[in-house]
Amino acid sequence: SRHHHKWSSTPLVLVVLHLLIWTNANGINHVVNGVTIPRNGGSKAAFTMMPTQRQNVAQHKQTTLLPSAILPPRPSSSSSITLYAKTKVKEAITTKFETEENNNGPNNPYLTVILPLLLVYVSNQWSRSSIYYLVNFSDAPTVTAANAMNVDLGFSEAQYGALASVAFTALFAFASLAAGNLADKSDRKLLTSVACVSWAVATIITASASSYTEVVAARIFMGLACAFATPSAYTLIRDLIPKERAALASSLYGSGVYLGGALASLSILLDESLGWRGALTVIAVYGLVSAGVSFAVLPPDPKNNSDDDALDMPPPKKAVIITNDSEEEEGKISAFLTDATNVLSTSQVRWLFTASFLRFCSGLCIGVWAAPYFRIAFPDDSTSYAVVNAFIVSLCGVTSG
């Protein structure tokens, strides 16, 4: 019996030792009805369970017990604990910064970003296109100096063509080359508002002009001002609008071309009721209001915030190089010409540039001469033309975008 007792107790000791080692290696996850369930939910728990207990554990695992793959691993050494703590701290800091970045964005980007930029863009298009509808070269007795700019200032159709096209587009084209660079370096919110005020002032100068030369000068100044709004607007949309809404935001902003064109067509109605000077005054007031709204509503330029953060960092040590200002300017011009040459060296880019140029020329030709031709051909239907043309331009243009 002594041998039998020694023989029967040995397996029991081994089983107990085995369970202690296995429990320490796998950790404890839950206790259900007095039964210890291993962390990994393994089948070894069956060694200490009765059938009823195994049924209860199975039901509990189906409803509340998480798989071991979902549960975070338990560090087994001091180095593992340190690495685990560092990882958690890093995750917490990253989450904090992402939350702050999301909270710093505009609450409603369509009202605080797209709407003010759209108002400015509408003013841009309305101001530049209004002159197309304020001239009348017909011989109808209703045409007077009060409602026809060409009659009041005494310029011909050829002079009107130069005024409407070259006087605006010449400086506009050259200024557009520098507008993007200026938008990258300056406060785009301020640049947008200043540009809008500038072309509104040019519109007021046109309304008070007493000669053709004054109108040409105001037109050139307007072309310069109008060039600086669009680059700032599109880059602000890129930086302030979430990426998943960027396409829709750009489309909504682009609709300003057609809304401004529609309002320009309706300028005929203002011309008939207020005269061409009164119509331009209304357009200028709208521009000033749009500039004020954009400056008051637009969020601060996020580029300025990044610049402020950069000021908090110690400046990097670098060698001081003294250069001549003229050499620096020559270097910038040379770099610009090199970049332009590299871009135009691709045949696809040259074809796209040529196609865009021809498309712009044809569209400008239609815009400049469509309304004067209709007023010559149908002098008694100017009001109907203004309304129908505004409807077509706005509806078809916005829906196509």
Side-chain angles (χ1 to χ4, degrees):
S1 94
R2 182 178 58 188
H3 293 288
H4 177 72
H5 176 73
K6 180 180 180 180
W7 176 256
S8 61
S9 62
T10 301
L12 179 61
V13 172
L14 293 176
V15 169
V16 171
L17 290 176
H18 173 73
L19 289 176
L20 290 174
I21 295 172
W22 177 80
T23 303
N24 182 61
N26 292 275
I28 302 300
N29 190 21
H30 278 299
V31 176
V32 181
N33 294 335
V35 179
T36 299
I37 301 174
R39 182 180 182 85
N40 59 1
S43 60
K44 295 180 181 180
F47 287 109
T48 58
M49 299 181 192
M50 297 297 291
T52 305
Q53 293 174 327
R54 286 198 297 270
Q55 183 179 1
N56 294 336
V57 169
Q59 293 176 356
H60 181 73
K61 287 169 62 178
Q62 293 177 0
T63 56
T64 61
L65 187 60
L66 294 176
S68 60
I70 299 178
L71 298 174
R74 175 177 295 180
S76 58
S77 64
S78 60
S79 61
S80 299
I81 294 175
T82 302
L83 180 61
Y84 181 79
K86 289 182 178 179
T87 302
K88 291 301 180 182
V89 170
K90 183 177 180 181
E91 291 177 356
I93 294 175
T94 303
T95 304
K96 178 179 181 295
F97 281 133
E98 291 178 352
T99 303
E100 290 180 353
E101 182 177 358
N102 293 331
N103 292 336
N104 291 334
N107 295 328
N108 192 334
Y110 293 105
L111 291 179
T112 59
V113 179
I114 300 303
L115 180 59
L117 291 178
L118 179 61
L119 293 177
V120 170
Y121 202 20
V122 169
S123 173
N124 187 322
Q125 298 297 320
W126 192 6
S127 299
R128 69 166 74 176
S129 303
S130 59
I131 191 175
Y132 310 154
Y133 303 92
L134 300 179
V135 296
N136 194 339
F137 297 99
S138 68
D139 298 329
T142 56
V143 178
T144 63
N147 57 25
M149 179 190 299
N150 58 297
V151 175
D152 192 0
L153 301 180
F155 56 83
S156 63
E157 294 181 7
Q159 290 176 307
Y160 160 73
L163 175 65
S165 59
V166 178
F168 179 87
T169 58
L171 193 55
F172 176 85
F174 286 104
S176 297
L177 298 176
N181 187 35
L182 184 61
D184 290 335
K185 297 180 179 180
S186 61
D187 189 327
R188 291 168 292 181
K189 173 183 176 179
L190 180 61
L191 182 61
T192 299
S193 301
V194 171
C196 189
V197 170
S198 299
W199 71 63
V201 170
T203 306
I204 294 176
I205 295 174
T206 305
S208 59
S210 58
S211 66
Y212 175 77
T213 304
E214 293 179 5
V215 174
V216 171
R219 185 76 172 166
I220 293 174
F221 179 65
M222 180 182 293
L224 174 64
C226 289
F228 290 92
T230 305
S232 299
Y234 276 114
T235 53
L236 281 175
I237 291 174
R238 178 199 63 194
D239 294 342
L240 293 174
I241 302 297
K243 292 182 179 180
E244 63 273 12
R245 302 180 184 178
L248 176 60
S250 299
S251 179
L252 291 174
Y253 172 75
S255 65
V257 174
Y258 311 106
L259 297 177
L263 289 176
S265 180
L266 295 176
S267 298
I268 294 179
L269 304 181
L270 293 175
D271 182 23
E272 293 180 350
S273 59
L274 302 176
W276 70 272
R277 296 182 187 273
L280 288 176
T281 302
V282 172
I283 297 171
V285 170
Y286 173 82
L288 294 175
V289 172
S290 300
V293 170
S294 66
F295 188 77
V297 177
L298 276 175
D301 192 336
K303 178 163 51 26
N304 295 340
N305 296 335
S306 61
D307 294 341
D308 294 339
D309 295 338
L311 293 177
D312 298 334
M313 302 295 294
K317 297 182 179 179
K318 60 181 180 180
V320 178
I321 301 176
I322 301 176
T323 59
N324 192 349
D325 293 340
S326 60
E327 294 179 356
E328 184 178 356
E329 293 297 329
E330 291 177 358
K332 292 181 179 180
I333 296 175
S334 177
F336 172 77
L337 294 177
T338 301
D339 294 340
T341 303
N342 292 335
V343 170
L344 294 176
S345 62
T346 306
S347 60
Q348 291 88 343
V349 174
R350 292 197 299 269
W351 280 111
L352 287 174
F353 181 81
T354 303
S356 299
F357 176 78
L358 294 176
R359 184 263 173 200
F360 179 80
C361 290
S362 60
L364 180 63
C365 181
I366 295 173
V368 168
W369 290 106
Y373 168 76
F374 192 93
R375 300 187 81 170
I376 293 174
F378 308 98
D380 297 330
D381 297 323
S382 296
T383 302
S384 300
Y385 169 78
V387 175
V388 173
N389 183 62
F391 178 78
I392 293 174
V393 170
S394 60
L395 180 63
C396 296
V398 172
T399 54
S400 66

